[in-house]
Amino acid sequence: MILDYPWYFCLLCLLLGAAYAFVLYRKAPSRWRWVMAALRTLAVSAIAFLLLAPMARQRVHERQRPVVVLAQDASQSVTLSADSAFSLQPLADKLSDRCDIVLAPFSNGSTTDIGAALEKAASQGDVAAVVLASDGINNRGNSPTSVAERISCPIYTVALGDTTPQRDAAIGHLRYNNIAYLGNDFTLELTINASRLSGNNAQLTVAQAGRTLASQRISYSADDFSTTLSLTLPTSQPGLQRLSVDLSLVEGERSADNNHVAFYVDVIDSRQKVAIIANAPHPDLSALKNAIEANPNYEARIIFASDLHKTDFAKEQFSLAVLHNLPSATNPTIRNIDHLPQIHILGAQTDLPRFNALHTGLEVVTKLQGKTNEVTALHQPSFTLFTLDGPTAETIESMPPLNAPAGTIKTSSACQTLFTARVGTIDSRQPLIAATSQGKVRRAFVCGEGLWRWRLAEYGAHSTHTAFDRLISQLVVFTAQQSNRDRLHVEAERLYPYGDPIVIRAQLYNEAYEPINTPDVSLSIESATLDKPLSYTFAREGDAYRLQLPNLDEGIYRYTARTTLDGTALSATGSFAVEALNLETRNMVADHSLLNTISQTTGGIMVRPADLNILADSLAAIRPAIYSHTRYAEFLRMPLILALILLMMAAEWVIRKYNHSI
């Protein structure tokens, strides 16, 4: 019992009942007056006690019918197999009298994500068991076995499809960069798989808009054949480009659909510009410029800080600023570059207190302004922001010393060290080359000057600048790949599988680069497959925008987003493709071992469609779940208490009536 009042309130209720009975029956002549007084005392005391709103703690036990989720694969690899007519509905009918059944078909036809299907099934409440009917072919999403390990209920699987390899060849997984630069070649790696085609030949062709880019003859040397090819492909025009891979058919192949694959590459026609801003002439500058321009996707321009006022940064559209010995005593403030990612090269002329005031993520604490120490580089394998290969790191470690500012260097938690400074043979654990990526800002640091010695020494030792150029190029590429700083930024996938939702998001920023979504943002879409452009308006979502397009036919689409903010017209352009992936037809051989692993991992069993009755018997043995919980009820709402009070008052009334006391 729970009472919000002190215990002595119960005594007051009892005293109130006794006082009431005493006043009522103190002069009653009947020999039953003590019985009537007792009944009146108890009844009044009980009523007074109920006015204190006491609560009773009750333990309640409830039985709940088990929930069984039936998940059936509706992908092409199943619908094209001999088990295409299989249905879990008969199993649902058998179990419906003792279980709550949830039907959960999955797959969009062209792809299968078994992991997502299991996660969805397990989220249907307190699930007692999951039945998965599939051929085990999974070509999208997370590993089904890793998902199954996180599910607490048993998963029973029904093995559909045929595990016998058919006479067929297929193009397997493609590996390539989504972005290529105009005029540069890029590499395509792909796998060719074939079964029961030993002794036959085929021709592999990669083409773009009807023009053959590469071709290679394939000889199937075994019935269980697999090979990986690496092809170098050129880029001839900018924009999102559709390329196709075709493998010629051999007579008797089961399917022709898996002999053709299309993929998309975004070809960029622009060299990014890097501004090397220096405090004064220095041999490091030409070494940096030559190393940056060794990467054909970048061009560099040396600008002295005293001439910055002559440079229109808005027009030049620099992607990165390299600051050499800045800020300095003669050039304490560097304007117009706050929007750019930056590489800082610190030397004897760097004004360290002013540099520290920039809060870049690296700070040099020293009382010896202008003093330097000679240090060499020691590679740190724990660096993860980008990968520097072993030979390059070893070459840099053998380079002559740089002149590093004397003092203690502190870094933020987001800053990672690529090379530490070595004084003689001792690792000082002080950063020499470091980088950081904090939100939308990327920076890199070289805590020393004299980089020209590295480039010169490498050429003297190896007749090449490869290691030095690669180090500088990777620092530049990492730092320049800052998140888009345009005030209107649109995010769209390069490729949307046909039939999947086409979701495009946008973000608008004010002059302080704060996200807003006050004005409307429109989107127009053009394509060779459309008679006229399509126009849409983004919906607001949080502090951003979201737009889900209706289903579009296969093809390449170009979009333009537009808005007006504070009288300024803003726009963003891009492109995306819609393509039927047909991943199901690339592999039609069922993977029953995956299904068996899922069942064994979770305590279920795997059966064939003909053995569905075995599965029904196993599921029928699942007992209802019994849940116990504590419930609090008011005494005032308990019928038994009220009935007892009425009974006492009725008994008192009967006695008074019998003794003619009323």
Side-chain angles (χ1 to χ4, degrees):
M1 182 181 69
I2 299 174
L3 190 65
D4 292 335
Y5 297 89
W7 62 271
Y8 54 81
F9 272 63
C10 298
L11 294 179
L12 293 177
C13 293
L14 190 61
L15 290 174
L16 178 64
Y20 192 101
F22 174 75
V23 171
L24 188 62
Y25 291 111
R26 71 181 187 278
K27 297 181 179 180
S30 173
R31 58 190 178 87
W32 288 91
R33 65 176 180 174
W34 294 109
V35 176
M36 292 186 291
L39 292 173
R40 178 56 63 102
T41 298
L42 292 175
V44 172
S45 298
I47 293 173
F49 180 70
L50 292 179
L51 293 177
L52 299 178
M55 304 282 289
R57 184 187 289 110
Q58 298 177 329
R59 192 69 175 172
V60 180
H61 304 282
E62 295 182 356
R63 295 168 62 89
Q64 180 175 312
R65 281 160 50 103
V67 177
V68 177
V69 180
L70 306 183
Q72 182 158 348
D73 189 345
S75 62
Q76 283 183 315
S77 58
V78 172
T79 57
L80 296 176
S81 71
D83 293 321
S84 59
F86 175 81
S87 174
L88 287 174
Q89 188 58 50
L91 180 62
D93 296 339
K94 288 184 178 181
L95 299 175
S96 59
D97 60 338
R98 65 188 69 188
C99 302
D100 290 335
I101 304 299
V102 178
L103 298 176
F106 65 97
S107 176
N108 64 0
S110 59
T111 60
T112 303
D113 188 345
I114 295 178
L118 293 177
E119 288 180 336
K120 181 179 178 180
S123 67
Q124 299 294 323
D126 196 357
V127 179
V130 174
V131 177
L132 173 70
S134 175
D135 55 9
I137 299 175
N138 186 76
N139 43 48
R140 200 172 187 182
N142 297 324
S143 167
T145 52
S146 63
V147 175
E149 290 172 355
R150 301 194 298 267
I151 295 176
S152 58
C153 65
I155 301 175
Y156 300 85
T157 55
V158 182
L160 306 178
D162 190 356
T163 59
T164 304
Q166 302 294 317
R167 180 179 171 87
D168 196 23
I171 300 172
H173 184 60
L174 305 183
R175 292 168 293 278
Y176 57 93
N177 286 330
N178 292 322
I179 298 176
Y181 291 92
L182 185 64
N184 294 353
D185 294 342
F186 69 97
T187 301
L188 168 68
E189 290 187 359
L190 72 159
T191 302
I192 304 296
N193 300 311
S195 60
R196 302 178 63 183
L197 291 178
S198 179
N200 291 279
N201 300 312
Q203 193 71 24
L204 180 75
T205 304
V206 182
Q208 177 188 359
R211 182 171 66 94
T212 300
L213 303 181
S215 182
Q216 187 165 332
R217 185 178 179 83
I218 308 296
S219 297
Y220 301 130
S221 56
D223 279 341
D224 186 12
F225 176 84
S226 180
T227 186
T228 299
L229 306 177
S230 181
L231 304 174
T232 301
L233 306 176
T235 56
S236 58
Q237 58 186 28
L240 190 63
Q241 305 298 323
R242 182 183 187 273
L243 294 87
S244 61
V245 183
D246 290 279
L247 183 66
S248 62
L249 284 169
V250 174
E251 184 178 356
E253 283 196 46
R254 176 182 182 180
S255 172
D257 292 337
N258 51 13
N259 290 56
H260 170 83
V261 177
F263 67 100
Y264 292 82
V265 174
D266 199 356
V267 180
I268 299 175
D269 181 16
S270 64
R271 298 183 72 191
Q272 297 191 54
K273 296 181 180 180
V274 178
I276 303 175
I277 306 173
N279 178 61
H282 196 287
D284 279 354
L285 305 182
S286 59
L288 288 168
K289 185 176 189 298
N290 292 332
I292 291 170
E293 293 185 340
N295 186 331
N297 301 316
Y298 291 87
E299 60 178 289
R301 178 182 166 192
I302 299 174
I303 306 171
F304 293 107
S306 57
D307 297 329
L308 272 180
H309 64 280
K310 302 176 183 178
T311 305
D312 187 347
F313 278 85
K315 182 178 180 181
E316 293 279 0
Q317 294 184 338
F318 288 105
S319 300
L320 172 69
V322 179
L323 303 179
H324 190 276
N325 269 317
L326 291 172
S328 66
T330 54
N331 297 287
T333 304
I334 310 300
R335 303 183 184 278
N336 301 325
I337 64 168
D338 292 342
H339 64 290
L340 293 177
Q342 299 165 11
I343 297 178
H344 298 268
I345 300 176
L346 310 182
Q349 299 173 12
T350 306
D351 189 327
L352 296 176
R354 284 193 172 94
F355 170 77
N356 293 340
L358 297 176
H359 303 294
T360 60
L362 183 142
E363 178 182 358
V364 183
V365 180
T366 182
K367 296 181 180 179
L368 303 172
Q369 173 66 42
K371 300 296 183 180
T372 60
N373 297 322
E374 288 192 344
V375 298
T376 55
L378 181 63
H379 183 237
Q380 300 299 312
S382 59
F383 184 85
T384 61
L385 296 179
F386 57 82
T387 302
L388 192 69
D389 61 90
T392 298
E394 291 175 3
T395 301
I396 297 300
E397 287 183 332
S398 67
M399 292 294 99
L402 300 181
N403 295 322
T408 302
I409 299 177
K410 299 180 180 180
T411 59
S412 67
S413 59
C415 191
Q416 295 189 32
T417 300
L418 177 60
F419 287 96
T420 53
R422 183 167 48 185
V423 181
T425 59
I426 299 174
D427 182 7
S428 68
R429 307 306 300 171
Q430 297 271 72
L432 179 60
I433 299 178
T436 181
S437 176
Q438 293 179 304
K440 296 181 179 297
V441 178
R442 288 187 175 186
R443 285 188 171 91
F445 309 91
V446 180
C447 300
E449 59 183 336
L451 293 170
W452 63 274
R453 297 191 189 97
W454 284 9
R455 200 166 196 268
L456 190 62
E458 184 186 5
Y459 190 81
H462 306 289
S463 299
T464 181
H465 304 118
T466 302
F468 179 80
D469 290 352
R470 182 175 290 122
L471 170 64
I472 298 301
S473 177
Q474 289 195 262
L475 284 173
V476 167
V477 170
F478 164 78
T479 313
Q481 287 180 345
Q482 178 170 283
S483 300
N484 195 313
R485 297 286 293 186
D486 292 337
R487 292 176 63 187
L488 178 59
H489 179 50
V490 177
E491 296 179 0
E493 302 290 339
R494 286 187 177 86
L495 175 63
Y496 292 95
Y498 179 76
D500 279 10
I502 301 175
V503 177
I504 300 177
R505 290 180 167 83
Q507 185 72 70
L508 180 64
Y509 301 93
N510 59 18
E511 291 185 355
Y513 207 68
E514 298 168 335
I516 60 173
N517 63 357
T518 307
D520 290 337
V521 177
S522 64
L523 186 79
S524 63
I525 297 177
E526 297 179 339
S527 173
T529 62
L530 297 174
D531 297 332
K532 61 180 181 180
L534 303 176
S535 298
Y536 303 93
T537 300
F538 281 90
R540 292 170 175 81
E541 183 181 62
D543 58 4
Y545 298 87
R546 182 181 185 274
L547 174 64
Q548 180 168 335
L549 300 175
N551 290 334
L552 297 174
D553 294 333
E554 295 183 75
I556 296 178
Y557 296 84
R558 295 171 298 279
Y559 64 81
T560 302
R562 294 184 177 89
T563 191
T564 301
L565 180 61
D566 298 331
T568 302
L570 302 175
S571 64
T573 61
S575 54
F576 63 87
V578 178
E579 181 84 24
L581 298 182
N582 295 326
L583 297 179
E584 290 291 315
T585 59
R586 295 189 193 179
N587 177 23
M588 300 287 286
V589 179
D591 186 0
H592 291 173
S593 62
L594 172 64
L595 301 177
N596 188 57
T597 300
I598 291 174
S599 294
Q600 294 294 326
T601 300
T602 59
I605 60 173
M606 185 185 78
V607 300
R608 294 288 298 178
D611 301 323
L612 205 59
N613 287 333
I614 298 176
L615 187 57
D617 294 339
S618 298
L619 293 171
I622 298 177
R623 296 181 178 180
I626 299 177
Y627 298 94
S628 298
H629 63 91
T630 301
R631 184 176 66 186
Y632 297 92
E634 296 181 359
F635 276 74
L636 187 61
R637 298 182 182 275
M638 293 182 180
L640 183 61
I641 300 295
L642 298 179
L644 184 60
I645 293 173
L646 290 175
L647 181 62
M648 289 187 294
M649 297 184 71
E652 179 193 359
W653 181 85
V654 170
I655 294 173
R656 291 180 64 184
K657 187 71 173 177
Y658 176 77
N659 288 278
H660 305 287
S661 301
I662 300 179

